[in-house]
Amino acid sequence: MAVREILKLGHPVLRRVARPMTAEEAASSETRQLVEDMVDTLHAAGGIGLAAPQVGVSRRLAIIEIAAGGSRYGELEPMPLTVFVNPEIEVIDERTQGYWEGCLSVPGLRGVVPRHRRIRYQGFDPLGKPIDREAEGFHARVVQHECDHLFGTLYPMRVRDFSRFGYTDVLFPELTARPD
Ligand code: NI
């Protein structure tokens, strides 16, 4: 188990457009180690998504895992651990919806971010198996958030209403009083 350091907002790697991975690179033992470490790091931090740039690797790779049985985000439909290489998003529903987001690179803060309600995303797993799925609601939001990381965008850059952006313990004192 190797938990890597998560870079925080302000680190230049987070603002960089990550380089797409070649098939050889994605299948390499180095990438396998990176993915294992990212899973360990995600679990240790208690998050649901992590992109390679957040651990200092400027490559188009991200992981998402939504555990069954809900989380601090409320009841959610689970999503098994998925590793995305070179994901691309196609918007199916142009309408957007605002909801609270947080980010492991922006600890302690939350903000309402408008995201497309429905998307199709395509990419590959590290062994080259194609991924082609549609997602809506929270799933679509998480995928859009992680893909943003691969293009140097962090969610605070998408906040429009700054009355709904701030410290979690100030915005939600009742939530943060609960140990989780
Ligand atoms: Ni994030």
Side-chain angles (χ1 to χ4, degrees):
M1 171 155 175
V3 173
R4 297 202 188 185
E5 185 197 350
I6 298 175
L7 303 182
K8 289 187 196 154
L9 178 66
H11 195 290
V13 169
L14 294 172
R15 295 294 312 278
R16 214 177 275 163
V17 175
R19 188 164 67 67
M21 293 186 105
T22 62
E24 297 75 44
E25 207 179 354
S28 70
S29 59
E30 202 176 66
T31 297
R32 192 172 350 118
Q33 190 60 59
L34 170 66
V35 170
E36 279 176 22
D37 291 355
M38 283 173 66
V39 171
D40 289 342
T41 306
L42 183 68
H43 288 166
I48 55 180
L50 189 67
Q54 291 181 277
V55 293
V57 178
S58 194
R59 295 289 177 275
R60 281 188 210 164
L61 184 143
I63 63 171
I64 293 177
E65 182 182 43
I66 304 176
S71 71
R72 74 178 90 167
Y73 304 94
E75 283 302 313
L76 297 172
E77 204 181 308
M79 176 164 168
L81 177 70
T82 305
V83 183
F84 303 93
V85 173
N86 302 339
E88 280 179 25
I89 288 177
E90 183 190 325
V91 175
I92 293 178
D93 188 339
E94 284 291 338
R95 288 177 298 168
T96 61
Q97 193 166 31
Y99 194 73
W100 292 98
E101 288 186 25
C103 179
L104 296 175
S105 292
V106 194
L109 294 159
R110 286 284 182 281
V112 169
V113 182
R115 298 281 188 193
H116 295 289
R117 290 163 189 258
R118 200 146 170 253
I119 58 164
R120 176 183 183 191
Y121 58 96
Q122 293 173 285
F124 298 90
D125 78 3
L127 297 177
K129 196 173 144 218
I131 295 171
D132 185 349
R133 298 184 192 159
E134 285 190 15
E136 57 187 341
F138 195 77
H139 280 195
R141 175 171 300 280
V142 175
V143 173
Q144 288 171 85
H145 178 117
E146 296 312 326
C147 285
D148 263 0
H149 275 297
L150 306 179
F151 291 87
T153 299
L154 286 95
Y155 86 82
M157 295 153 73
R158 293 201 184 272
V159 169
R160 292 198 198 133
D161 174 3
F162 283 90
S163 71
R164 294 192 294 168
F165 178 62
Y167 288 94
T168 314
D169 56 352
V170 177
L171 291 161
F172 304 107
E174 70 292 348
L175 200 74
T176 42
R178 231 177 43 201
D180 77 347

